[in-house]
Amino acid sequence: MKNLFTITLIILFVSFFQINAIAQEKHGSTLNLGVGIGGYGGYYKYANSTLPVININYEFDVAKDFTLAPFVSFSTYAKDYYRDNNNTYYTYRETIIPIGVKGTYYFDDIFQANKKWDFYLAGSVGFAVVNTRWADGYEGDKNYYRKGNPLFLDLHIGTEYHFNNKVGAFLDLSTGVSTIGLAIH
């Protein structure tokens, strides 16, 4: 009888802490490394093209189910132009480095998601550092491609699958830069 009581107490104790651990899941302390594409909106109005992007951010917990993640992205674009009047090719290159912060709200509790999955909505705000270069000798309008506003606001929807408690894979669809990548917890 004493063993049955002890076993029952242990099962209740473990169940309580296991349920509590799921309800109090932490999403922060996560390094996210992603690659993706950016389109015609946001800070990509500069190049007027869809561009490959590298993105890195670090999430930290702010409140239950809410994180903030400072981020930096990198993208570059080049195009060659031909000038008839002097029979010459010129290269235009633009490097875009968005810097900002992403606020994320996780809906795992509301969706009663399995602990291997995270579902979220987010918004990011920041500014784009843009470096524009024309080849030596170009005499045309060097401000022709300066179209974008350096300030931006993007919306995100995404999910992460946890392979284990240290590594996961994520998909982040956005109005600015959509990425897939690796999450390191």
Side-chain angles (χ1 to χ4, degrees), residues 1-117:
M1 184 69 160
K2 186 177 180 182
N3 285 342
L4 181 60
F5 180 75
T6 304
I7 290 170
T8 304
L9 274 178
I10 290 171
I11 290 171
L12 287 173
F13 183 77
V14 168
S15 296
F16 173 78
F17 281 101
Q18 193 170 19
I19 290 169
N20 194 27
I22 292 170
Q24 298 298 320
E25 178 182 5
K26 299 288 185 183
H27 297 97
S29 300
T30 303
L31 177 65
N32 296 305
L33 307 168
V35 295
I37 56 171
Y40 293 94
Y43 37 88
Y44 290 98
K45 289 178 186 168
Y46 288 97
N48 212 15
S49 178
T50 299
L51 303 175
V53 178
I54 298 171
N55 180 276
I56 183 169
N57 73 50
Y58 185 78
E59 275 185 277
F60 57 92
D61 290 308
V62 175
K64 184 179 183 314
D65 297 328
F66 184 74
T67 64
L68 287 178
F71 69 86
V72 63
S73 297
F74 174 83
S75 188
T76 190
Y77 169 81
K79 187 167 181 171
D80 290 328
Y81 293 92
Y82 178 72
R83 297 285 302 247
D84 282 336
N85 61 344
N86 60 1
N87 200 23
T88 306
Y89 280 95
Y90 294 99
T91 301
Y92 166 80
R93 174 168 294 282
E94 195 162 68
T95 302
I96 306 163
I97 303 173
I99 300 169
V101 66
K102 178 179 172 184
T104 304
Y105 185 80
Y106 288 88
F107 290 92
D108 302 354
D109 290 342
I110 294 169
F111 293 157
Q112 297 179 350
N114 180 307
K115 68 180 181 176
K116 290 222 176 249
W117 288 96

